[in-house]
Amino acid sequence: MRDLTSARLARLGDLETVELSTPHGRATIARLGATVVEYRDAGDNDVLWLSPTSRLDGSRPIRGGIPVCWPWFGAHPSDPDRGAHGFARHLPWQIERLENDERQAVAVFSLTDDDTTRARWPHPFRLTLTVRLDEKLHLELAAENPGDAEWQLSEALHSYFQVHDARGIRVEGLAGLRYWDKQQGGVRGRQSSDVIVQPPIDRVFFDHRGEAVIHDAGRRLRIAKNGSATTVVWNPGPKGVRGFDDIPDDAWPTMLCVETANALDNTYRLGPGERHVLSASISSEVGTEIAMEKAVTDG
Ligand SMILES: O=P(O)(O)OC[C@H]1O[C@H](O)[C@H](O)[C@@H](O)[C@@H]1O
């Protein structure tokens, strides 16, 4: 256990970062994309997965952690040449504020429109990402529309989780929901029970406003959220991984993306003067807590 709480500037490779520490964990966030690149829990276990071959020189988005996909998720709605997942993950964000008290550490990042963003998306905007670490890791992405036109938005906190083995892992919370399955060529269906991951998987679940829980070996990773109606579950699997030059071919079993999003059927509009907040709280419940809870349930 660490006993100090702090929020301070640091570096990772060529990237400028912020490090948040509390007795309950540590998080590192890069200015590039305001991407959380590391979150370690109280037992010093990695909660997030970061590709060992991710470029950390600012030349491309970070492969792993929690990239922010904004102002569109997946392909651009009308122009596939504009690239996947918007531009926010490609750009350096400003560090607005770092603060800490005895129980939490906070970093606030911002991104506003400029010539670069207007060349890709012709709207004025203000985005802030607040990353707060206490017993959990909390992310809050606030989008404000200061202009006079309405926008259409899709977005994601594209979290990559570190798991022991994605094959057969159970994700709880998505049973009964409608989905769109990109892996199966855009088939639509309804999830009959918890998701049992058999990579490859690329499935977008609609109207999901509750929690998702990843049942990893010996721990549970819990993702609670607000302002999000979509959850995406993705793992490229053994063949798909070969299409990614920033993921080693043998690394896919140790990662699982469970993404807090608003996408496709849950795309929404933000009018002039409006603000929307998308947030996620991530926690890692390790062995003893699971065992105690099970003992209570079993009587
Ligand atoms: O390679 P990227 O643009 O980072 O996208 C990585 C993945 O993101 C999401 O999870 C999508 O559902 C996938 O279809 C996509 O392959």
Side-chain angles (χ1 to χ4, degrees):
M1 287 264 276
R2 289 165 289 270
D3 50 15
L4 280 181
T5 296
S6 65
R8 62 179 189 91
L9 298 174
R11 291 196 81 85
L12 176 69
D14 293 334
L15 298 175
E16 293 174 68
T17 61
V18 167
E19 261 183 33
L20 304 180
S21 277
T22 75
H24 306 285
R26 191 176 80 215
T28 305
I29 310 107
R31 270 190 66 205
L32 177 68
T35 304
V36 179
V37 288
E38 182 187 47
Y39 171 35
R40 291 172 89 84
D41 65 17
D44 216 23
N45 304 301
D46 274 312
V47 175
L48 300 175
W49 180 87
L50 176 64
S51 174
T53 50
S54 176
R55 294 255 186 87
L56 297 176
D57 59 3
S59 63
R60 26 209 283 210
I62 293 163
R63 176 65 68 190
I66 315 182
V68 174
C69 304
W70 196 93
W72 62 88
F73 174 84
H76 183 275
S78 57
D79 180 1
D81 291 344
R82 286 204 227 173
H85 296 333
F87 52 77
R89 63 178 177 157
H90 293 261
L91 300 175
W93 292 42
Q94 295 304 315
I95 299 170
E96 292 272 305
R97 219 168 64 236
L98 301 181
E99 57 194 34
N100 62 287
D101 58 28
E102 64 285 351
R103 51 173 303 273
Q104 62 178 9
V106 182
V108 182
F109 298 83
S110 69
L111 186 71
T112 45
D113 57 292
D114 60 13
D115 291 347
T116 309
T117 70
R118 284 189 294 269
R120 300 180 194 194
W121 194 68
H123 301 289
F125 68 88
R126 178 171 163 78
L127 259 190
T128 56
L129 183 76
T130 304
V131 183
R132 186 165 64 81
L133 181 67
D134 52 18
E135 296 80 10
K136 301 178 183 178
L137 179 71
H138 308 270
L139 279 81
E140 194 179 283
L141 179 70
E144 289 169 45
N145 179 353
D148 48 21
E150 189 180 65
W151 322 319
Q152 183 169 303
L153 275 184
S154 57
E155 57 190 347
L157 299 169
H158 192 311
S159 27
Y160 290 75
F161 292 96
Q162 174 82 43
V163 294
H164 285 88
D165 191 342
R167 289 165 287 196
I169 206 168
R170 180 162 70 95
V171 182
E172 184 188 344
L174 302 166
L177 297 173
R178 283 187 311 114
Y179 65 73
W180 179 82
D181 195 317
K182 186 171 172 189
Q183 189 63 42
Q184 293 177 41
V187 165
R188 284 179 177 265
R190 193 173 285 278
Q191 183 68 34
S192 56
S193 54
D194 286 350
V195 175
I196 308 295
V197 173
Q198 300 296 354
I201 183 170
D202 194 351
R203 201 170 269 193
V204 178
F205 295 90
F206 300 115
D207 304 323
H208 177 237
R209 294 180 174 80
E211 290 187 348
V213 183
I214 302 171
H215 289 263
D216 191 17
R219 68 174 181 175
R220 265 189 306 237
L221 304 172
R222 187 178 296 275
I223 308 120
K225 58 181 189 161
N226 268 304
S228 158
T230 311
T231 294
V232 183
V233 178
W234 177 63
N235 179 303
K239 286 205 187 91
V241 74
R242 296 187 207 138
F244 294 86
D245 62 5
D246 54 2
I247 308 181
D249 285 356
D250 60 356
W252 61 270
T254 58
M255 61 153 275
L256 181 66
C257 288
V258 176
E259 307 160 33
T260 298
N262 288 301
L264 298 170
D265 297 12
N266 299 129
T267 296
Y268 67 97
R269 296 185 162 276
L270 200 69
E274 288 183 344
R275 183 170 186 268
H276 182 268
V277 179
L278 169 71
S279 64
S281 292
I282 294 169
S283 53
S284 157
E285 298 163 3
V286 285
T288 47
E289 286 167 53
I290 295 177
M292 277 166 63
E293 198 176 294
K294 188 168 182 315
V296 172
T297 327
D298 294 350

